Amino acid sequence: MPHLLRLLPGAAALLAAGLLPACSPLPNVLKAAQNGQSITVAPPVLESSGQQVRFEVTAKVPVAHLRKGAAYNIALSYRYQNGLREDTVGRLTFLTGEYVYDEQQKNMLVIRREFTFPYAPQKSPGELLARPDARLTKPNGARLKGPEQVLARGIVTTSQLVVRQDSLLTLLPETVSNDRSGTRVLPFYFDAGKAEIRNFLGTNVAALEDFIEANQRTEKVTIVAGHSPDSLDRRDPRLPDRRVQALANYFKKRVSESAYLNKVSDIDFETEAYRRRWDLFLSKVQQSALKPAQIDSVVLLINDSPGSFAEKEKRLHALSFFDYLEQYIYPVLRFGTVSVRYTAPKRYDSEVYLLSKKIVEKQTEADALTPEELRYSASLTPLLAEKQRIFETAVATTGAWQAYYNLGAVLLMRSEKETNPKVIRAYQRRAAVNFTLAAHRNPTSELFYRVATAYHRAHDLPEARQSYDYAIKLGGTPAMLSKAFADKAALEIEMGQPDEALRSLSYSNPRSYQNIMNRALIYVLKGNYPGAAAIYEEALALRPQEPLVYYSLAVTAARQHNEAATAAHLRRAVQLDRSYANRAVEDLEFREFTKGKKFLEALR
């Protein structure tokens, strides 16, 4: 034991602290396990596949380390950002049921297991670490740690060279007319057999009062009134005339009392009384909840049977559903309508903007502007924060799909101004939610495509893929569907699904720069390097000054171990964009060339 403790200073420290019993088997377990152990990783340089880094670890440990009551472990972790961050990856534990005997070396135990961890740009470069330890298997048993070992470097990020060109993001155009002239139509309803205006449910007295008091300059007033076929309304042949007169007198009286822009003598009044109009009755019947056969029977009774107005009405009483006619049709035929054509002072943009600010700050009611005017007011300020508050108010007060869409667009615009990744992601996800609400209210291919692109930006790839599918299934213009399939293919590459991406690309424009680059990348990931190089040359024909194409060609050449071609393509990429020099230095694709003269000269 003293000899072992000299070999394992950690054990000596634990023994001195009283944490490791003097008779502990842990030093022997740790020494025996590491005497001839081997730990290998495939691939030897970690590589991202979609949004995951996948690799397989094979650990071989001598059988001689096995002790009852003790176990040998290998803890795996990934360290990055210059050692500032470290994530736990997993653990291999040599307990019965976890290992097998090696077929070639019977004195060795083997555990082979696949691991994954999420890819993130900040994790490249980094290193995969193994930290062995021996522990007692009893609860809260002591643990003795061995030295850490670097297993693999990471991460090759070639699969992230996906090209996706976002379509132009703009707000929906909102135009409003400063001319507020128009026609206001106000319906009124009367009691059976009466012509008095009632000031309770079913009338528009309050609305008419508000309109007159608003002093909109009135040009023409058209008043019409009718009656129902029942005996109470029918017995007075002048009842529709009296209803018209009641509405006209009321309007004239209120204008005389409350208006200062209008005079009764300046208003053109037009009136009409509808008497015994079966066409009005049949129109209401055909818009009712009666069954088609019942509607047909009423139409036949009115149009094809002989008799006077009163006789036909009497026959209606014999119908099994007459109670429906009496309760739901007759009352709305006792109507009067006031239609007012008016002109209003023009509302200037400055007034619209100031009113919108008051609405947003809850200093005035939302109906001070029309929904269109409120959305339009957002175009009157250059500040994205103000636009956002206006559209949030429009969403809360109207729920219109245009408001949800424009709010999503503004949130994406704000994400482009931020530098903090968490804030950017929060804006992008909020934008996606608002685009979704817009799409559910107006389910078009274009809107679901915008939902997909927002989730794509936010790296919520499953949601983005589902929305791309919705957009495609809803159908759209050939150009829109081609773009949806192109972006879906880019997403599938990012998800580590190159075969699905190729299928999506087959439905998109094969000659677009985005699709050519992504098809070449798939060839690289599948190991068809000559094919990939040929496709990248097609991209160069479209964009001869694009540094990413040259960089991608350099990666393709590096995978073929062609140092001269790698250096030549890198030199051209760096000439076009100096940032590719730093990128190449950290890119593990070029690890076999980093100390070579050609590589270093290419980055100058």
Side-chain angles (χ1 to χ4, degrees):
M1 179 66 72
H3 176 68
L4 288 176
L5 293 181
R6 283 198 300 274
L7 294 174
L8 301 167
L14 290 173
L15 183 63
L19 299 177
L20 187 68
C23 59
S24 172
L26 297 186
N28 287 331
V29 170
L30 192 62
K31 183 174 184 293
Q34 293 188 303
N35 184 19
Q37 83 167 6
S38 68
I39 307 174
T40 58
V41 179
V45 177
L46 303 185
E47 183 171 353
S48 64
S49 174
Q51 296 302 298
Q52 299 290 322
V53 177
R54 302 179 186 277
F55 56 94
E56 185 179 75
V57 176
T58 301
K60 294 184 180 182
V61 174
V63 175
H65 89 277
L66 294 176
R67 300 287 190 281
K68 185 176 181 180
Y72 180 66
N73 307 286
I74 300 172
L76 303 175
S77 62
Y78 187 77
R79 187 163 59 198
Y80 55 102
Q81 287 190 338
N82 297 318
L84 297 177
R85 298 193 63 176
E86 187 169 328
D87 296 340
T88 299
V89 173
R91 177 183 294 272
L92 303 174
T93 301
F94 283 82
L95 287 172
T96 303
E98 296 289 324
Y99 59 78
V100 296
Y101 286 86
D102 186 64
E103 293 181 0
Q104 281 76 37
Q105 298 174 284
K106 298 301 182 181
N107 65 332
M108 300 293 285
L109 306 177
V110 180
I111 296 179
R112 182 176 290 106
R113 188 170 301 159
E114 186 177 275
F115 293 92
T116 64
F117 62 84
Y119 167 77
Q122 63 268 28
K123 292 184 179 180
S124 179
E127 51 190 11
L128 181 67
L129 304 175
R131 289 194 175 89
D133 67 73
R135 65 178 177 85
L136 300 178
T137 55
K138 65 182 180 180
N140 301 317
R143 185 185 301 271
L144 181 61
K145 296 180 179 180
E148 73 175 32
Q149 176 183 347
V150 176
L151 299 181
R153 304 289 176 182
I155 303 166
V156 171
T157 58
T158 300
S159 66
Q160 304 302 316
L161 295 177
V162 180
V163 173
R164 187 170 71 87
Q165 298 168 298
D166 279 340
S167 55
L168 183 64
L169 181 66
T170 58
L171 297 177
L172 292 173
E174 196 71 66
T175 57
V176 295
S177 173
N178 285 336
D179 185 358
R180 293 187 292 153
S181 303
T183 300
R184 184 77 179 272
V185 179
L186 300 171
F188 293 80
Y189 296 98
F190 297 88
D191 291 326
K194 296 184 178 180
E196 291 78 22
I197 298 174
R198 61 188 191 187
N199 192 9
F200 56 91
L201 185 65
T203 73
N204 270 297
V205 171
L208 184 58
E209 291 276 356
D210 290 343
F211 177 80
I212 293 172
E213 289 178 3
N215 274 293
Q216 310 290 11
R217 189 172 297 280
T218 304
E219 298 174 350
K220 184 175 182 178
V221 177
T222 302
I223 302 174
V224 298
H227 68 91
S228 65
D230 64 275
S231 57
L232 280 176
D233 264 27
R234 192 181 65 249
R235 67 187 178 188
D236 182 358
R238 291 189 51 78
L239 183 59
D241 300 86
R242 293 198 296 114
R243 287 172 173 170
V244 167
Q245 198 60 45
L247 290 170
N249 290 341
Y250 184 85
F251 192 96
K252 292 175 181 178
K253 180 175 182 294
R254 295 301 297 126
V255 167
S256 299
E257 293 174 350
S258 303
Y260 57 85
L261 282 181
N262 297 304
K263 292 181 181 180
V264 173
S265 59
D266 295 334
I267 300 173
D268 178 17
F269 283 89
E270 182 180 301
T271 61
E272 183 176 0
Y274 296 146
R275 306 181 191 89
R276 300 192 174 189
R277 293 279 297 269
W278 282 124
D279 59 325
L280 299 178
F281 169 76
L282 291 177
S283 175
K284 296 296 183 186
V285 168
Q286 289 170 333
Q287 297 171 18
S288 70
L290 291 172
K291 296 177 181 177
Q294 294 172 326
I295 293 173
D296 290 343
S297 65
V298 173
V299 173
L300 286 172
L301 189 153
I302 298 302
N303 288 342
D304 295 349
S305 65
S308 66
F309 189 89
E311 289 171 339
K312 290 184 179 183
E313 195 277 332
K314 192 172 182 179
R315 291 190 198 115
L316 292 174
H317 288 252
L319 297 173
S320 61
F321 50 88
F322 175 74
D323 58 335
Y324 183 94
L325 299 177
E326 189 175 41
Q327 184 175 356
Y328 296 108
I329 304 296
Y330 282 9
V332 294
L333 293 174
R334 305 178 191 117
F335 74 95
T337 300
V338 177
S339 177
V340 186
R341 193 174 73 202
Y342 65 93
T343 58
K346 287 186 175 182
R347 177 175 277 167
Y348 295 102
D349 283 355
S350 57
E351 182 184 357
V352 171
Y353 175 66
L354 291 174
L355 281 172
S356 75
K357 288 198 70 173
K358 289 183 178 180
I359 292 171
V360 168
E361 294 166 3
K362 295 182 169 39
Q363 295 177 2
T364 190
E365 295 298 323
D367 60 6
L369 293 175
T370 66
E372 294 77 16
E373 286 175 327
L374 181 57
R375 295 196 299 270
Y376 171 73
S377 69
S379 67
L380 304 176
T381 173
L383 303 177
L384 288 177
E386 275 195 10
K387 291 180 188 289
Q388 178 182 335
R389 287 194 294 271
I390 290 170
F391 288 128
E392 285 171 343
T393 303
V395 161
T397 56
T398 69
W401 72 267
Q402 297 95 331
Y404 281 108
Y405 180 93
N406 280 342
L407 177 56
V410 168
L411 290 168
L412 272 190
M413 291 174 183
R414 294 202 69 177
S415 75
E416 294 169 353
K417 306 290 185 183
E418 296 291 336
T419 56
N420 186 316
K422 289 185 178 179
V423 176
I424 293 171
R425 190 68 55 85
Y427 274 127
Q428 290 169 336
R429 285 180 173 156
R430 281 188 63 194
V433 168
N434 281 282
F435 284 137
T436 302
L437 292 169
H440 286 171
R441 285 160 173 77
N442 183 35
T444 65
S445 182
E446 290 79 2
L447 287 188
F448 272 106
Y449 170 73
R450 182 55 69 190
V451 175
T453 58
Y455 276 122
H456 202 159
R457 284 195 191 191
H459 301 290
D460 194 336
L461 303 190
E463 285 286 352
R465 183 173 186 174
Q466 185 179 55
S467 296
Y468 281 130
D469 283 341
Y470 278 149
I472 292 164
K473 289 173 182 175
L474 283 170
T477 65
M480 203 290 302
L481 291 176
S482 177
K483 182 60 176 166
F485 272 116
D487 288 354
K488 181 171 179 278
L491 178 139
E492 286 162 341
I493 297 173
E494 293 173 41
M495 295 179 75
Q497 300 169 340
D499 292 330
E500 288 83 349
L502 281 174
R503 192 173 300 113
S504 294
L505 285 173
S506 69
Y507 297 107
S508 188
N509 175 14
R511 304 306 307 157
S512 76
Y513 170 76
Q514 172 176 321
N515 289 346
I516 290 173
M517 289 293 289
N518 288 342
R519 189 182 299 276
L521 177 59
I522 293 172
Y523 277 44
V524 170
L525 299 177
K526 284 179 166 289
N528 184 354
Y529 305 126
I535 299 174
Y536 280 130
E537 292 294 340
E538 293 179 28
L540 270 185
L542 288 179
R543 298 192 179 183
Q545 301 299 313
E546 178 56 60
L548 178 59
V549 184
Y550 288 102
Y551 189 84
S552 301
L553 281 166
V555 170
T556 306
R559 290 201 172 194
Q560 297 175 86
H561 311 287
N562 188 334
E563 183 178 10
T566 299
H569 292 310
L570 272 181
R571 180 180 298 106
R572 186 69 181 121
V574 171
Q575 286 172 348
L576 293 169
D577 185 343
R578 286 295 307 170
S579 67
Y580 280 91
N582 293 332
R583 185 170 180 172
V585 168
E586 296 181 350
D587 195 335
L588 295 176
E589 288 282 12
F590 307 118
R591 58 191 178 277
E592 64 178 282
F593 305 130
T594 52
K595 295 182 180 179
K597 182 179 179 181
K598 291 181 180 179
F599 179 85
L600 295 174
E601 288 179 349
L603 302 187
R604 288 179 181 173

